[in-house]
Amino acid sequence: MVNLDALIPREDFEAVASEQATQTSILSATMKITDLTQDSLMYNVLRKPDFQRETANWTPEKVAELVHSFISGDLIPSIILWRSPTSGNIFVIDGAHRLSALAAWVQDDYGDKHTSMRFFDSVIPNEQKKAAETTRNLIRENVGSYADLGLSLRNPDTSPKEKLQLARNLSAFAIHLQWVNGEAEKAESSFFRINQQATPIDPTELEMIRARHKPNALATRAFIRAGTGHKYWSSFEEKVQSEIESLAKDVYDLIFKPNLEMAIRSADLPVAGRGYSADSVKMVFELVNFVNKLHPDMWRDETNNSKRKGRSQQQISTLADDVDGAATLKYMQAVKKTAGRIAGNSPASLGLHPAVYFYSATGRFQPAAFLAATALIQELSEKNQLMKFTDTRKDFEEFLIKYKYFLNQIVRAYGSLQRSVPPILTMYRIVWEGMMEGVGEEEIIMRLQQNSALRAPVKVLTEDDRIHRRNFSAETKNSVFLKAVLTDATRCEICQARLHFKSVTVDHKTRKEDGGSGDLSNAALTHPFCNSGYKESRNARRVL
């Protein structure tokens, strides 16, 4: 998808200017394409509501098609606007993607040039750059750039006839405008009504919009763009804003770096998949809520909450709006701590290998597996069982790798993301408990198949299944490479589970206290957690 989010800035409907804006007597019925240049008066007062979803849901083909339709004189649906009587700015109630696509064409910025670079603090994912260049090439081939058409008008004698005709269309064609009358409340209700009737907002996006002043939504917005883009937290003090942005970048780097390409070509896999994807916002929102033990009823409509309270006779605490950023920081720090348990080089890091836990048999990142593994590790940490987990970690991971297709089976039966998290977590618990009891693979598999929580029991594939069932074939490039990554992975010298080189420490085989040297022969690669706490605990238990 093409990220056009930077082209029209966001603002609160209720934002108050330093001086009262004058009321207009006549609102324009059309907008010329020249009104979308960077120095245009109209462009500089255009805004999106601060709760508007990210303008990044169009493909390069759709952006190019819109530009072609406009310049060819095809019908473009009206843009619906509202003018704030307090700030004087003009808000796009419906048509933000259309206006942004045309503005991108005029400014030659499809998510990768000056306005976007400034908006995202130069943090532009590779996928975003590729989508931008694809769009630019499509438009150049079909209609030409805005600058080229302008040049054609100035040099008609040397311009191709077809291009000159398109250029002349620019002087005549305009976008039709409709206006919402009334105060901010009317404009907001119009926005939701219109957007739900046209292209329905994704349920998670809608929840985050409704809860836009809540700390969980603010934290998610910060994490997903590494603290760049629109600053939903701009009302907080500068020190708080700086802390939010710093935490966001730390967590983003932990879970989304390096950028994941379409085809796996490196063992350096991000633990949370592709940051620039449709599922990433949903996954991060779920992560923030899970880590901080938040339930949707805590921030949803109070009328619905009262009905639920009546049925369950349980009081549900309401999540308050964050007025100073303290709660947002608290939630973000909790997520950073949890992310640091899974990845990175802090002493508490288990350094879970992404290829073992978070990627399926076909090499696809599975958000549900990421959330389920996070839930397992947090659960074990709260129960002080991480030492025991590390005792059996090697065998636990070998089971997950050997039967990696169980993950595919569960996701296919339950669906992606939230629906698959509980059954995957159930599978992890059963496998680990079996390892702790010392039972064999067959017994563990039987327990999985007999568990009532797994509606669709896992099935062990036969050799015939592997040959004839395409879903679990080892012939795809990603799955072949993933197997190679797992086969060749270096192992921790302490627990013998696989190491991911983003989460590695160097340990003395013979301790310095016992005369161990700093020579290469005495060096061992280990997980940070194994080196910092587990090793000493294991040695103490051996002495006892």
Side-chain angles (χ1 to χ4, degrees):
M1 301 297 176
V2 189
N3 197 320
L4 307 175
D5 207 38
L7 276 300
I8 302 176
R10 287 181 178 79
E11 186 177 281
D12 189 339
F13 269 154
E14 303 284 359
V16 179
S18 57
E19 297 180 6
Q20 192 73 9
T22 57
Q23 295 300 311
T24 55
S25 56
I26 300 176
L27 292 170
S28 176
T30 61
M31 180 189 294
K32 300 294 292 286
I33 195 69
T34 51
D35 288 330
L36 295 175
T37 60
Q38 284 187 317
D39 58 354
S40 158
L41 296 177
M42 179 70 165
Y43 179 72
N44 279 283
V45 296
L46 275 181
R47 299 289 186 271
K48 291 180 293 197
D50 62 345
F51 49 79
Q52 165 74 285
R53 54 184 161 176
E54 192 172 64
T55 313
N57 294 315
W58 281 19
T59 62
E61 291 76 16
K62 191 166 184 178
V63 174
E65 181 183 350
L66 185 281
V67 173
H68 182 270
S69 295
F70 172 77
I71 201 169
S72 300
D74 295 338
L75 178 65
I76 301 292
S78 298
I79 305 296
I80 302 177
L81 305 174
W82 172 74
R83 184 177 185 272
S84 168
T86 55
S87 69
N89 285 328
I90 295 173
F91 288 82
V92 184
I93 301 300
D94 184 53
H97 258 107
R98 278 166 271 153
L99 272 187
S100 296
L102 291 173
W105 177 54
V106 170
Q107 299 175 28
D108 190 35
D109 185 349
Y110 301 99
D112 63 342
K113 290 300 177 69
H114 177 70
T115 300
S116 295
M117 291 288 285
R118 186 175 56 190
F119 183 73
F120 292 115
D121 290 345
S122 299
V123 181
I124 308 291
N126 290 336
E127 295 93 339
Q128 186 170 326
K129 293 177 183 177
K130 290 177 181 177
E133 195 56 34
T134 299
T135 309
R136 187 174 288 109
N137 290 335
L138 282 171
I139 290 177
R140 187 181 296 125
E141 292 169 6
N142 291 319
V143 298
S145 70
Y146 179 79
D148 284 347
L149 294 187
L151 192 62
S152 295
L153 280 179
R154 291 188 291 274
N155 301 278
D157 295 339
T158 59
S159 299
K161 184 178 179 180
E162 297 80 8
K163 183 170 287 189
L164 185 59
Q165 182 58 51
L166 291 176
R168 285 172 175 159
N169 289 350
L170 290 178
S171 64
F173 296 161
I175 307 158
H176 187 257
L177 305 178
Q178 292 182 2
W179 295 85
V180 172
N181 296 315
E183 300 298 319
E185 185 177 351
K186 175 69 178 297
E188 183 169 342
S189 64
S190 297
F191 173 87
F192 284 111
R193 185 177 65 256
I194 292 168
N195 279 275
Q196 284 300 96
Q197 288 174 350
T199 303
I201 301 174
D202 177 86
T204 302
E205 271 288 333
L206 187 57
E207 285 219 343
M208 289 178 59
I209 288 171
R210 298 291 193 193
R212 60 187 179 275
H213 301 302
K214 309 292 184 187
N216 56 340
L218 290 167
T220 301
R221 296 292 191 191
F223 285 139
I224 205 64
R225 286 290 173 200
T228 68
H230 178 69
K231 301 186 186 302
Y232 294 88
W233 48 92
S234 60
S235 63
F236 302 149
E237 292 182 359
E238 286 190 13
K239 181 182 178 182
V240 174
Q241 292 185 44
S242 178
E243 288 183 56
I244 286 174
E245 289 158 21
S246 176
L247 279 168
K249 186 179 187 307
D250 288 347
V251 172
Y252 185 93
D253 288 349
L254 269 176
I255 68 176
F256 287 127
K257 286 294 186 78
N259 294 325
L260 180 65
E261 301 294 334
M262 291 299 292
I264 296 175
R265 291 292 180 270
S266 167
D268 192 10
L269 299 168
V271 300
R274 186 176 291 108
Y276 188 70
S277 74
D279 283 338
S280 56
V281 174
K282 301 176 188 177
M283 184 187 71
V284 173
F285 192 48
E286 288 293 319
L287 178 65
V288 172
N289 291 329
F290 165 75
V291 167
N292 291 284
K293 303 185 187 307
L294 302 176
H295 189 275
D297 287 344
M298 297 172 69
W299 66 82
R300 284 177 178 161
D301 183 72
E302 292 182 5
T303 303
N304 291 334
N305 278 350
S306 63
K307 293 178 181 177
R308 293 187 186 97
K309 289 177 188 177
R311 286 196 297 269
S312 64
Q313 297 301 312
Q314 294 179 348
Q315 285 295 112
I316 300 174
S317 59
T318 301
L319 184 63
D321 289 352
D322 192 358
V323 296
D324 58 8
T328 300
L329 283 174
K330 177 184 175 183
Y331 289 173
M332 293 181 73
Q333 287 160 353
V335 173
K336 181 179 179 180
K337 181 179 179 181
T338 298
R341 266 286 183 208
I342 294 169
N345 277 318
S346 69
S349 174
L350 293 167
L352 301 186
H353 199 298
V356 175
Y357 289 90
F358 313 132
Y359 290 78
S360 71
T362 54
R364 289 174 59 90
F365 172 73
Q366 288 290 357
F370 172 76
L371 292 171
T374 301
L376 176 69
I377 297 306
Q378 181 151 317
E379 186 177 288
L380 293 173
S381 177
E382 290 172 353
K383 294 179 179 179
N384 294 317
Q385 292 181 324
L386 287 178
M387 297 294 181
K388 292 181 179 179
F389 170 75
T390 308
D391 287 339
T392 61
R393 177 174 173 175
K394 175 179 178 291
D395 293 335
F396 178 77
E397 292 185 359
E398 292 300 328
F399 184 96
L400 295 186
I401 292 168
K402 183 175 180 179
Y403 299 102
K404 185 171 274 290
Y405 54 82
F406 284 176
L407 181 62
N408 297 66
Q409 293 175 344
I410 291 174
V411 172
R412 188 171 57 181
Y414 287 82
S416 61
L417 215 57
Q418 298 98 322
R419 294 186 298 276
S420 289
V421 173
I424 294 173
L425 180 56
T426 296
M427 181 183 76
Y428 288 161
R429 287 170 178 156
I430 292 172
V431 174
W432 182 65
E433 288 166 4
M435 296 292 176
M436 288 295 294
E437 295 173 22
V439 303
E441 284 184 7
E442 291 184 2
E443 171 66 21
I444 291 174
I445 292 171
M446 186 177 70
R447 292 182 183 183
L448 289 171
Q449 292 173 335
Q450 293 177 346
N451 187 273
S452 60
L454 297 172
R455 293 197 308 266
V458 295
K459 177 187 176 184
V460 177
L461 297 183
T462 64
E463 191 58 36
D464 189 59
D465 290 326
R466 295 177 189 276
I467 294 172
H468 294 102
R469 294 184 62 177
R470 290 182 60 194
N471 283 345
F472 303 113
S473 168
E475 298 304 315
T476 65
K477 293 180 180 179
N478 278 356
S479 61
V480 169
F481 195 90
L482 203 63
K483 284 190 175 183
V485 166
L486 291 170
T487 301
D488 299 338
T490 303
R491 292 180 180 268
C492 172
E493 290 276 352
I494 296 174
C495 76
Q496 294 304 307
R498 287 168 176 78
L499 283 168
H500 187 229
F501 59 80
K502 281 185 68 177
S503 303
V504 175
T505 58
V506 180
D507 182 33
H508 287 77
K509 293 179 180 178
T510 301
R511 299 187 310 170
K512 289 187 290 185
E513 301 94 304
D514 298 331
S517 70
D519 187 72
L520 179 63
S521 61
N522 195 42
L525 298 178
T526 68
H527 295 114
F529 177 77
C530 291
N531 189 13
S532 63
Y534 174 74
K535 180 178 66 174
E536 298 300 326
S537 172
R538 184 187 62 178
N539 292 339
R541 283 181 285 164
R542 284 176 176 172
V543 171
L544 293 174

